[in-house]
Amino acid sequence: MDKVTPEIRSAIMSRIRGKNTRPELIIRSLIHRLGFRFRLHRKDLPGTPDLVFPAKQKVIFVHGCFWHWHQKCDSFRASKSRVDFWQAKLARNRRRDASNKQALEELGWEVLTVWECQLRDTDSLKTQLQQFLD
Ligand SMILES: [Zn+2]
């Protein structure tokens, strides 16, 4: 009955947990320490951005590399070799992300996407967050 690899299984589990995933919590606490305040998961904005900075008109998405098909890291190669079902699904996620980003930008919001794999280097991530929010 269990036909999926451990990697897919763990991606499914983290998706079921949905909001407030571990990468998201880490990024929230980084931004807190940088001294910025934000709102969470604004449902009235395209794509329900994870972190919203209303006064700055800026939003941040925190994306898991597997589900959002991060083309710059190992998750991408792994998901490319997977069966058609996953490929179609992940490609759909990617297209949806792109259209949410475009919709937000048309509404005047600046958008930053932070990838799960960037958490391996929190120093440069912190710099990037600081630059985006300043
Ligand atoms: Zn990645």
Side-chain angles (χ1 to χ4, degrees):
M1 122 157 219
D2 200 352
K3 283 186 186 152
V4 300
T5 65
E7 195 188 358
I8 293 180
R9 162 83 43 212
S10 110
I12 293 170
M13 292 316 287
S14 70
R15 190 170 180 234
I16 288 167
R17 270 184 264 120
K19 301 298 175 196
N20 309 317
T21 57
R22 186 176 153 276
E24 211 182 306
L25 294 176
I26 294 171
I27 289 182
R28 275 193 229 165
S29 90
L30 277 178
I31 292 175
H32 253 304
R33 268 180 277 158
L34 291 172
F36 297 103
R37 317 207 52 179
F38 48 83
R39 311 278 301 272
L40 297 173
H41 308 137
R42 281 261 308 260
K43 289 196 176 62
D44 56 323
L45 292 175
T48 315
D50 297 309
L51 285 80
V52 180
F53 304 81
K56 299 175 186 288
Q57 285 248 343
K58 291 179 180 179
V59 301
I60 293 179
F61 287 99
V62 182
H63 282 173
C65 294
F66 178 85
W67 284 107
H68 296 268
W69 224 13
H70 190 203
Q71 300 193 346
K72 287 185 188 154
C73 82
D74 295 343
S75 282
F76 182 68
R77 259 195 311 284
S79 51
K80 259 179 101 171
S81 65
R82 279 167 198 158
V83 292
D84 290 347
F85 168 77
W86 291 100
Q87 274 209 48
K89 184 163 181 48
L90 298 177
R92 212 159 43 235
N93 285 352
R94 240 190 112 71
R95 277 198 301 276
R96 201 195 44 214
D97 290 340
S99 74
N100 285 333
K101 181 168 186 280
Q102 195 186 345
L104 282 160
E105 285 168 350
E106 278 164 13
L107 291 167
W109 293 82
E110 275 183 69
V111 179
L112 176 71
T113 300
V114 176
W115 294 93
E116 189 183 359
C117 61
Q118 291 178 264
L119 293 169
R120 286 183 219 133
D121 182 358
T122 43
D123 282 343
S124 60
L125 178 58
K126 238 192 273 180
T127 307
Q128 194 191 358
L129 291 169
Q130 181 99 54
Q131 277 166 359
F132 177 70
L133 294 169
D134 269 344

